Amino acid sequence: MRIPQESDRRGQCPIPHHSSPVDTDHDRVALFTPEFAADPHRAYRDMRARYGSMVPVELAPGVPATLVIGYRTAVRIMHDPEHFPADPRAWERGVPADCPVLPILSWRPNALRSAGTEHERYRRAAVAGIAGVDLHGLRGMVEGVATTLIDTFRPTGAADLHRDYAAPLAFQAINALLGCPPEIGNEVAAATAAIFEGVDTARSDQRLAAAMLRLIEQKRAEPAADITSRLIAHPAGFTDEELIHQLGILYGAGTEPMLNLISNALLLILTDERFAGSMLDGSLSTRDALDEVLFHDPPMANFSVTYPRQPILIDNTWLPANQPVVIGLAACNNDPEIGAGPITGNRSHLAWGGGPHACPADTVAYLIAQDAVDQLLDAIPEVRLAVPVHELSWRPGPFHRALAALPVVFPASPA
């Protein structure tokens, strides 16, 4: 047997790439199917038993990625932007223009889809814009919107809380934060929903950009105490195109995830005996319910996407260069390796992401969701599900954890 010489080893990796279960085009787990949406936690358990912490998945047909379902591994990746940058441009060069997840993952000049100094510039402006939010005024606005929405269905004794309450409340809240008038906000809402659903995504993307530009032009002419005006005035000196993308990510992160957080929290409170009674006697709070949801069914269950610059070895698995690495936020939160201790008062979940790309608006999101839930339960304390919980359906999609509907009934009363 010939002994390898040093010259043979030079420039070679001692571990073969083909050993990786992720570096394959076969046997990938599809994250976009109705079956996965119906019971993702069972799918995560099966993935863990079969693959460990790194799982070969498809985000859409023919779109391979790696799903990270180990908590410690996820934290390591999210805090290592040098090896795991969020800039997708090298990846998207090989992706068809009609790929249904491209509008969500494609490069944009904003903090979510950039790295290095670009990311720092965008991030500073976003943080400054959000920091200027008047939380007291926001609470009053949410209470007013919630009361108006509740009065529209209170006399009927029935509602779909996802469609009739959580969705319009989330959109009106983000419109208020950005200073967006209703006529522009409605256009933004329709385009954003279509993008998340993968419906005619290229046209929906253009439609969203056009609505954002109208808002920017209005705020340049009449600035006010809102995030849009603060972004326009920020020393970063954004162009209109850059401003469109700053607003786009705020709308994307502030609407679809927010409405899912509200709906998922209401579902938990209505179906889990620990909350159904404890919310009334004060032993558990709405904040506890929100944290439970953020652990088990966060509104963005799989996200925080990065793209390794070169093949890299993580947990004895070679990740290919320029292929999406997606953090399974829900799966990581429930990783058996970090134990299954009590969740009440525990906010160590990854639902807000981590590292330099962590969500900068978690305080605002908590306030909106908590007030939305409290207002509904205060106004209609006898609300209950209109159907058995197993009859509820979840919208398919590789990223979100989203109910299709949340039908409820309650004693009718005057508005």
Side-chain angles (χ1 to χ4, degrees), residues 22-38:
V22 172
D23 192 12
T24 177
D25 289 329
H26 305 288
D27 204 23
R28 291 186 175 273
V29 180
L31 300 186
F32 52 87
T33 64
E35 292 77 17
F36 176 80

Side-chain angles (χ1 to χ4, degrees), residues 378-403:
D378 285 347
I380 312 177
E382 298 176 61
V383 63
R384 58 184 175 83
L385 278 184
V387 299
V389 64
H390 66 268
E391 292 185 10
L392 296 176
S393 60
W394 298 84
R395 287 156 44 209
F399 306 117
H400 57 219
R401 179 66 170 155
L403 284 163

Side-chain angles (χ1 to χ4, degrees), residues 122-336:
Y122 298 133
R123 172 88 179 186
R124 280 195 300 269
V127 169
I130 294 167
V133 172
D134 174 5
L135 297 181
H136 179 73
L138 176 62
R139 174 170 277 113
M141 182 276 299
V142 172
E143 291 175 359
V145 171
T147 300
T148 300
L149 292 172
I150 292 167
D151 279 349
T152 62
F153 53 74
R154 189 203 297 260
T156 68
D160 173 359
L161 293 182
H162 189 78
R163 180 197 64 205
D164 302 331
Y165 186 66
L169 190 150
F171 280 119
Q172 290 187 51
I174 192 65
N175 281 340
L177 289 170
L178 297 179
C180 184
E183 63 274 14
I184 298 178
N186 292 337
E187 187 72 8
V188 169
T192 301
I195 289 171
F196 269 94
E197 295 294 339
V199 178
D200 196 3
T201 50
R203 182 177 178 277
S204 299
D205 214 25
Q206 295 172 354
R207 183 180 177 189
L208 179 61
M212 299 294 186
L213 186 57
R214 288 173 58 200
L215 174 59
I216 291 164
E217 291 170 345
Q218 184 177 108
K219 290 300 172 182
R220 283 197 191 280
E222 300 177 10
D226 52 57
I227 293 178
T228 304
S229 298
R230 287 192 286 273
L231 287 174
I232 292 171
H234 193 270
F238 292 134
T239 65
D240 282 354
E241 181 184 4
E242 287 178 316
L243 285 167
I244 286 172
H245 291 289
Q246 311 319 304
L247 296 176
I249 191 58
L250 289 169
Y251 261 114
T255 50
E256 176 75 14
M258 176 57 66
L259 73 91
N260 293 335
L261 177 58
I262 295 169
S263 292
N264 295 358
L266 287 170
L267 174 62
L268 175 67
I269 292 167
L270 293 175
T271 57
D272 191 315
E273 285 299 323
R274 293 174 302 137
F275 290 95
S278 299
M279 294 290 287
L280 297 178
D281 64 27
S283 60
L284 288 175
S285 67
T286 302
R287 186 65 176 261
D288 294 321
L290 291 172
D291 285 329
E292 178 106 357
V293 166
L294 291 167
F295 261 101
H296 290 300
D297 280 314
M300 299 303 289
N302 306 301
F303 215 54
S304 298
V305 187
T306 58
Y307 305 82
R309 290 192 175 99
Q310 60 275 320
I312 186 169
L313 182 66
I314 299 287
D315 286 1
N316 297 318
T317 299
W318 277 101
L319 300 179
N322 302 319
Q323 189 180 97
V325 175
V326 182
I327 305 299
L329 303 169
C332 289
N333 290 340
N334 296 278
D335 183 354

